[in-house]
Structures are given as structure tokens and as C-alpha cells.
Amino acid sequence: MAFSLPRNVPKFDNDQRAYENAYWGASKRSPQTGHANGIGSSLNGVFDKNSLPMYKDKPYSYASSRRHVPVLKRRRVWLGGVLSLCAFFLYWMVLWPSGHRSGETRAGGKSTWNWLSKPGSAPDWDSRQDAVRDAFKISWDGYIKHAWGMDEYHPISKSGKQMTPTGMGWIIVDALDTLMIMNLTSRLSHARDWISTSLNYNQDSEVNTFETTIRMLGGLLSAHYLSTEFPSMAPLDEDDPGKPGDDLYLEKAADLADRLLGAFDTNSGVPLASVNLKTLKGVPSHNDDGASSTAEAGSLQLEFKYLAMLTGEKIYWQKVEKVIQVFDDNGMEDGLLPIFLYADKGIFKGQNIRLGSRGDSYYEYLIKQYLQTSGEEPIYKSLWDEALSGVRKHLLTYSKHTNLTILGERPDGLAGYLSPKMDHLVCFMPGTIALGATGGLSLATARKPLTWSKKQDEEIELAKELTKTCWGMYKATLTGLAPEITYFEVDDPPRMGVDGLVTANVDFEAENSPKASWKEDYIIKQQDSHNLQRPETVESLFYMWRITGDATYREWGWEIFKSFVEYTTLEDGGGFTSLSKANELPPKMKDNMESFWLAETLKYFYLLFSPTDLLPLDSIVINTEAHIFPRFKLQKGLTTGWTRKPRDKEGRMVGKVTRQEESGEEGEKAQKGKPLTKTKKIRVVDAKTVTETVVETTAVGEGKRGADKNYEG
């Protein structure tokens, strides 16, 4: 194809530029002249490794300033540079082989960033990392220009919206640590100033307990950790008069956490779905009969535990570990939990079991709690191992045509049918499984000790196969961007993973025709074809690359990134947007940039293309919003404050009476203290026997069924 200018060209009147110049002036350093809102800025540094791209944030250690060069000499250098660029442009247009100017073009799309990697050449991962950084800058600068300080950003309409009266800093706080990791120092300074002067959580408004914890509390704590442990990531002069101190992020985090604690004020200790930031009162969910979700209540632990370690306030620790105890005391089979529970009673609602929405990050936080405290809380490793075994036994199946590994759902409980449905959210699992197998060490290092087991080898193989399935979700669409939900063609009855792991017989690259057999296994419904810029697959690619060292995962990530650039970039500098329809060309855009696009997706891309010594996995733990926390040992009187109730050799709770069914009208009556009259079949389990008994249930009181004194939830 003919050469054409990049669609985002320099705009020297960009609003951010004035701030940038002011920042560099205050720091007595000279800025690099140029632009920030063009994808074409990636050209700089790709062809000339000795110079920095124009308008590029750098830490204080960047190359020496040019301010002492005489004016006349600077003009000669400037003129020479212009002539050189003109000569190079003519050479590019006339003499450069046409094959090097053209890139792969998808039907209905535009050429991708073909200048970043010449055909047949070795990948330039530094350049690819810079490309991700540029994508972040374009997204951030569009937000600055059109919706600064707003919680939502709509890049097509160029508008924003607050979620609370004065805003939560939803996008700004969520992106703080990405700004640090990418060394975008002036933008970080701007964000920090806003937090210091404008962020106030004392608002009479309900907020979601879980989302506020993982995004806002997590973002502030991560910013505190990175800015103190790695000051070069946030090179700000903390001692200037009038400047906020180094504890700004921690102070804001503690204030927010104290407000969130109101959600835990229930009879069971399980938090309510929302909390009012001013009144400090928890608020039940307005849906699902007031129940909280398992993922939301079970994914607050990393944040509050780290805050407890920093402050010495045990209440943060005790509140969140109590939640896991309540979950475990329900004695659910094989470590798999229904996705809803009643917070006040601390018992589960219904039987729907899945690793996607409402269930996902509970399982993620089991192994990560074990790693966070440096292996000093083995109870969480036990819970993770039990759950993963349950996943393999009940949820793992294979596609009909090419043996793709699938993690399905059990909407009617473990005794019900297996639905071959995977949310994109489930694609966090392969990376988490690999992390659990090696503890964050590279596979080569983890395999050296004699303690390495066949079980860990199987977990790595399972992680590889699941990653392949998630990658296929992207290959299966016309845009190369995964749908929100994918169904799969499976055998009837489905083959289960408990019978042994199976390797998929598929080559996505070699078999990419519309009639390829593997495409018959992917079923994408129109209503599920939206792409919300989700990070889970890129997250797993990052973990798999760091742990296995297989560069294939980096290449898959690069292909996904190019698809985001190709189909979600806006022409007029607004940034990137999510898609309403990702399986049609041209795709239908959604006019929304999720905060996790900046906090997670682009961060994971950046880390995927980075050297492996940037934030090594064996020294950190990453929360479910991609915020970075350190690992630490138990200290300041913090310790595991609970133990598991006795189990038999099959893992079933001793003396526990489990209901085969607890859903619909009966479940609701049980929660409201109304009598039940239906005869139920239940299973009584003790240490020696398992017997089936028919019991007539009568009046219910505080979780007890009739005369049965052993019933627990």
C-alpha cells in the first residue's frame, strides 16, 4: 500500500503541553519538544535509538539538558535535523522497498503499526513497549482534555460524568501506578496535585464496596508502595514548601478504608454490596434479593491486609479474614462456592457455580493471600489447592472438534448440567494457575528443588492449554478482539478434565480459513460480542511469559495490541474506546473508556514487553485490578486468626449437614425466617459414614433445620 501519514499527527496546541512546559520549567530541566497525542510518535526512537521521542516524559536521570548549547548552534542543529528528515522521507517514498512500507491490512480496517517491526526481523521489544506507552499517553491526554477529574470518560462524545457528587478519582487513582511504571512523571505530578487538592471521600453517596476497594484503595496503596520503594518511578521533590508529603497516598487510603469498614457491619461479618461514604452505613445490593456476590466479598483481602501491615491497625486484617472463615464454614463441596450469599446470615444463596462474573476473583485471592504473606499462611494454599482440584473435577471439559480446554459453569449446582460457557473474565485463570504452581519463580528455577511435583507439572500444562483457548477467543473474531462471552461446541455428554489433561490439536496461525475446524468450536452470540477492553487474557500472557520464558506469549500479546490499535483508536485524538460489536467490520463503537484500560490492560501489555527484572513476580503480588503490592512476612502482631473446621479424608466437613438444594422460594424463606414445609433429601456426613436420610423440614431458626442440631448454613 502507499505510504500515508499516521492518523494522529502532532498537535502543538494540546492542553497537556502547557502543563508539561510548566512542569519542566519548575524542575529546571528542558523538555523535549514535540507532541504527545500521536501514534506516529512511535517512529522516534525506532529509527534513531540515540534520541528520545518528542514530548516524552522521562525520570530525572534522563540525558543531559541542551539548555547550555549556544543559540546559533542549536539553530544549525535544528535545521540539519529538518533536512535529514526530509531526505529520509524522500528515500522512504522513492527508494525503500514497497514491501517494507506496507503492513498487513485486515478487511475493513487500516494498516497497523507496520513501522514497528519489519517483516522477518527479530522483534524489537523496546519499541513495542514504547508503542504501548504511546497508547497510554494518547488515552490519558484525551481524558485530560475532555473529562479531567471525571469518573467516567466517553471518548467519542468527548464528555465525562461523575459517579458521586464530587467524584471518586475513578480514572485518576486507578491509573497512578501505571503512570509510575511508565515513568510518565509530569502526568503523574498533575494527577498527584489533583488528588491532593480535589479528592475528598466525605460524600453522601453509595459506592460499591468491592470496586472501590480494588480500584481506589488498591490504586492508592500501590502508588504508596511504588513511590516509596522505587522513588525513581515517582521523582517528585517531596520537601518543597507547600507540597504534600510522601504519605499522601497512604493518608487517602486509610481515610477511604475507614469509610469502607461500614460495609462489614453485619451479623456474619460478610460485607454488604455497597456503603455510604459519609454515613459509614452498609447498603445491601439493590438486586439479587439483597445478596452480596462471592467474588466481591472474597476479593478485599489483599488490600486491607497490606494496609494493616503498613499502619499496624489489626481491624483491617480481622475484618477481611473473617469473610473467608465464614465462606469456609459453609463447607461447600470441593472448594467451589455459589456466586451469591446473604451477608447478614453468612450463608450461600442458590447453587450457581462459575469462575466468571461474581465468582472469579475469590479464587484468585486464595493463592495470592498465601503469596502475599510469603507462605506464612498455609491455610490459603490449602483452600486454593482444594478449589483447583474441584475445578478440574467439575468444571473442566474439552471442545468437540479440537480438544480446546474449557472452564464451564454449573448453573444448577455440581449435580446439575455443565454449561460450556466462558466469560472473558475466566481468562485470569491460566496465569493464576501458573503463578500458584511456581510461586512466581521462573519455571526453570522452580523445577530445581526436589519438592517439585507431578501435580505442579500438570498445573503448568493446564495453564498452557487454557491460555491457548483464551488466545483463540481473539483469533475467532473479525477484529481480533475477544467477545465478552464465548460458548463452545462440546460432546454430549461432555468429556471431563478429571479423566486426564488433553492437548488441543490446533494451529491457529496455520488454520485460519473461515472453515477451520477450530472455529467450529467457538460460538459467539451477537449479544455477547462486545469488547470492553478487558485485561484478563493479556494478564495471563504476562504471567505465562514471565514463568515459562516462552516468547510465543509475547507475540500473541503483540497481535492483540495491534488489534486494539487497529479497531479501537479514535481518529481525532479522543483516545481509545470499547466496542459494542467486536465480530463485525467495521466494528460498532461503544463510546466508553474503562478505567481498567489504563490500570490493567495497557499496564499488562507494558510489562509483557518489558525486561523480566521490572517488578519480578517472586517479590510482589498483584491485585485483581493490576495494582502492585509487596510480599511481606507476618509482623506487628498480625497472624492468621482462624482455623478450618475438621474435614474427613474426602474433604467434607465433619458433622456437617449439606442440603442438595437451597434455591428459589425455599432459600428466600430460609433467609427471612419463614417456616419451610417441603420434605427435603439431605446428606448427613460424619467422620465415618455418609448416609442418605429423608428429613421433614419445619420451622427454621437462626440457620437450624427442625430438630437437627448439626445444621450449619
Side-chain angles (χ1 to χ4, degrees):
M1 63 173 283
F3 176 83
S4 61
L5 288 173
R7 52 188 164 190
N8 290 296
V9 295
K11 289 181 64 177
F12 295 96
D13 59 349
N14 188 296
D15 290 351
Q16 173 70 9
R17 182 172 175 77
Y19 183 85
E20 194 85 10
N21 288 337
Y23 171 81
W24 286 110
S27 66
K28 299 181 180 179
R29 286 170 171 79
S30 299
Q32 297 285 337
T33 59
H35 61 89
N37 68 328
I39 293 179
S41 63
S42 302
L43 283 165
N44 296 281
V46 175
F47 292 116
D48 181 3
K49 290 294 183 185
N50 295 319
S51 62
L52 294 171
M54 294 185 293
Y55 188 35
K56 187 170 185 177
D57 297 76
K58 297 296 291 183
Y60 280 6
S61 59
Y62 87 112
S64 300
S65 170
R66 296 174 55 205
R67 65 181 181 273
H68 298 301
V69 179
V71 173
L72 183 59
K73 185 174 181 180
R74 279 185 289 174
R75 288 177 177 172
R76 287 200 298 267
V77 171
W78 179 84
L79 180 60
V82 171
L83 293 175
S84 297
L85 285 173
C86 291
F88 180 82
F89 181 80
L90 290 173
Y91 173 73
W92 175 270
M93 290 293 295
V94 179
L95 300 176
W96 193 267
S98 60
H100 287 187
R101 291 200 308 269
S102 61
E104 176 187 353
T105 304
R106 300 179 188 269
K110 298 181 180 181
S111 65
T112 52
W113 294 4
N114 52 289
W115 54 79
L116 293 177
S117 180
K118 296 178 182 178
S121 65
D124 183 346
W125 295 110
D126 288 341
S127 295
R128 293 181 177 188
Q129 191 181 41
D130 283 343
V132 175
R133 196 167 178 265
D134 287 334
F136 181 95
K137 288 160 61 177
I138 292 164
S139 302
W140 183 260
D141 291 349
Y143 168 67
I144 286 177
K145 185 172 184 178
H146 303 295
W148 180 245
M150 298 289 179
D151 295 325
E152 299 177 14
Y153 175 42
H154 307 294
I156 296 177
S157 59
K158 296 181 175 56
S159 62
K161 182 181 178 182
Q162 297 290 26
M163 297 165 53
T164 61
T166 61
M168 292 285 291
W170 206 251
I171 292 175
I172 296 172
V173 173
D174 216 8
L176 280 173
D177 54 1
T178 310
L179 288 163
M180 293 179 181
I181 292 168
M182 293 184 178
N183 278 325
L184 296 173
T185 54
S186 63
R187 290 170 176 82
L188 174 62
S189 178
H190 189 192
R192 195 175 188 278
D193 286 347
W194 184 90
I195 291 170
S196 176
T197 59
S198 302
L199 182 58
N200 182 1
Y201 288 124
N202 188 29
Q203 301 179 55
D204 189 6
S205 183
E206 292 178 17
V207 297
N208 181 274
T209 307
F210 164 74
E211 297 288 358
T212 305
T213 297
I214 65 167
R215 301 192 199 208
M216 300 297 94
L217 184 58
L220 290 165
L221 290 172
S222 182
H224 170 77
Y225 167 61
L226 294 179
S227 63
T228 53
E229 186 70 17
F230 307 99
S232 63
M233 289 186 178
L236 301 174
D237 192 350
E238 306 297 346
D239 297 325
D240 285 353
K243 288 284 186 179
D246 185 50
D247 291 334
L248 171 67
Y249 303 128
L250 183 56
E251 290 169 359
K252 291 290 185 182
D255 174 54
L256 177 59
D258 289 343
R259 299 174 188 279
L260 292 171
L261 285 178
F264 294 83
D265 189 15
T266 63
N267 289 331
S268 73
V270 172
L272 295 166
S274 299
V275 65
N276 185 296
L277 292 176
K278 188 176 183 67
T279 67
L280 314 185
K281 298 294 185 183
V283 182
S285 172
H286 299 294
N287 303 303
D288 309 309
D289 196 34
S292 298
S293 84
T294 301
E296 293 184 352
S299 306
L300 312 170
Q301 287 68 27
L302 296 181
E303 296 79 7
F304 277 90
K305 282 186 168 184
Y306 179 39
L307 183 59
M309 192 279 291
L310 289 171
T311 63
E313 296 291 340
K314 294 181 181 180
I315 189 172
Y316 300 136
W317 187 284
Q318 294 164 348
K319 289 289 187 181
V320 293
E321 75 169 0
K322 175 64 175 178
V323 177
I324 306 302
Q325 179 183 8
V326 172
F327 283 8
D328 195 53
D329 283 352
N330 275 264
M332 304 310 296
E333 185 177 353
D334 292 331
L336 301 180
L337 311 184
I339 60 173
F340 290 108
L341 80 161
Y342 292 99
D344 197 51
K345 297 288 186 180
I347 58 178
F348 288 100
K349 165 184 162 57
Q351 302 179 85
N352 193 345
I353 293 174
R354 65 188 185 212
L355 300 178
S357 63
R358 305 290 191 173
D360 50 2
S361 49
Y362 159 72
Y363 302 97
E364 174 189 357
Y365 271 35
L366 292 179
I367 187 61
K368 289 185 175 180
Q369 285 183 82
Y370 171 71
L371 297 175
Q372 182 183 40
T373 51
S374 305
E376 294 187 340
E377 293 188 282
I379 193 170
Y380 297 106
K381 180 66 160 58
S382 175
L383 289 168
W384 164 253
D385 287 340
E386 181 180 321
L388 186 55
S389 294
V391 167
R392 293 183 61 175
K393 179 179 179 181
H394 298 287
L395 304 182
L396 189 63
T397 186
Y398 301 100
S399 69
K400 182 175 183 178
H401 302 286
T402 53
N403 292 326
L404 292 163
T405 300
I406 302 160
L407 293 179
E409 301 180 357
R410 296 278 185 179
D412 296 328
L414 298 183
Y417 74 99
L418 178 69
S419 171
K421 166 180 173 282
M422 278 182 68
D423 294 351
H424 185 274
L425 290 165
V426 179
C427 288
F428 83 93
M429 272 296 283
T432 303
I433 292 171
L435 176 67
T438 73
L441 296 171
S442 70
L443 191 55
T445 301
R447 278 177 167 160
K448 289 179 181 179
L450 295 177
T451 53
W452 184 262
S453 66
K454 178 183 177 182
K455 172 179 172 291
Q456 289 165 294
D457 269 328
E458 289 181 350
E459 289 173 358
I460 292 295
E461 292 307 309
L462 174 58
K464 290 179 179 179
E465 291 302 311
L466 284 171
T467 306
K468 193 182 300 180
T469 301
C470 291
W471 164 235
M473 293 179 183
Y474 287 79
K475 298 294 289 184
T477 69
L478 294 175
T479 61
L481 296 172
E484 180 73 359
I485 298 171
T486 303
Y487 289 83
F488 292 87
E489 187 76 23
V490 297
D491 293 310
D492 186 13
R495 291 170 291 142
M496 299 305 295
V498 70
D499 299 326
L501 297 177
V502 177
T503 301
N505 53 338
V506 58
D507 186 335
F508 294 113
E509 304 302 330
E511 304 173 22
N512 202 25
S513 68
K515 296 184 179 180
S517 59
W518 65 266
K519 289 189 176 180
E520 297 180 40
D521 283 336
Y522 287 88
I523 302 170
I524 302 172
K525 300 180 180 181
Q526 186 176 12
Q527 67 267 26
D528 302 328
S529 66
H530 47 290
N531 180 283
L532 302 181
Q533 306 172 299
R534 288 201 185 276
E536 288 78 21
T537 295
V538 185
E539 172 186 351
S540 281
L541 293 175
F542 161 66
Y543 280 111
M544 295 302 291
W545 153 245
R546 286 286 184 94
I547 289 170
T548 70
D550 187 345
T552 299
Y553 300 116
R554 300 180 102 184
E555 292 291 355
W556 288 355
W558 179 242
E559 291 301 314
I560 294 172
F561 177 72
K562 288 195 296 183
S563 293
F564 274 119
V565 171
E566 186 78 12
Y567 294 111
T568 71
T569 312
L570 299 175
E571 297 285 348
D572 51 3
F576 291 73
T577 188
S578 51
L579 301 177
S580 295
K581 303 289 182 184
N583 198 27
E584 59 185 49
L585 292 176
K588 184 177 180 181
M589 293 185 170
K590 189 175 175 65
D591 193 19
N592 190 57
M593 183 194 78
E594 296 286 352
S595 74
F596 52 69
W597 168 248
L598 303 177
E600 297 187 76
T601 309
L602 289 176
K603 182 188 295 164
Y604 279 126
F605 275 128
Y606 189 82
L607 292 174
L608 176 62
F609 304 147
S610 74
T612 56
D613 60 354
L614 176 60
L615 299 174
L617 285 179
D618 59 347
S619 63
I620 60 170
V621 65
I622 305 176
N623 89 335
T624 197
E625 188 74 7
H627 294 311
I628 317 295
F629 305 151
R631 299 191 189 187
F632 55 86
K633 292 190 177 292
L634 293 176
Q635 54 187 286
K636 300 180 180 179
L638 302 175
T639 186
T640 309
W642 68 285
T643 57
R644 302 190 72 186
K645 293 185 176 181
R647 263 73 174 173
D648 64 16
K649 63 181 181 179
E650 301 298 328
R652 295 181 291 248
M653 188 183 297
V654 174
K656 162 79 178 177
V657 177
T658 59
R659 284 168 291 185
Q660 298 292 357
E661 296 179 30
E662 175 70 319
S663 60
E665 181 181 355
E666 294 173 55
E668 293 172 8
K669 287 180 179 179
Q671 308 315 317
K672 297 174 182 177
K674 296 180 179 179
L676 299 180
T677 58
K678 185 176 179 179
T679 298
K680 300 276 294 179
K681 177 180 284 189
I682 61 177
R683 185 170 61 181
V684 181
V685 182
D686 60 31
K688 297 180 180 180
T689 63
V690 178
T691 60
E692 294 291 338
T693 309
V694 176
V695 181
E696 183 173 353
T697 57
T698 54
V700 180
E702 295 298 318
K704 304 271 183 165
R705 285 291 178 110
D708 178 14
K709 301 302 182 184
N710 293 321
Y711 180 77
E712 302 174 34

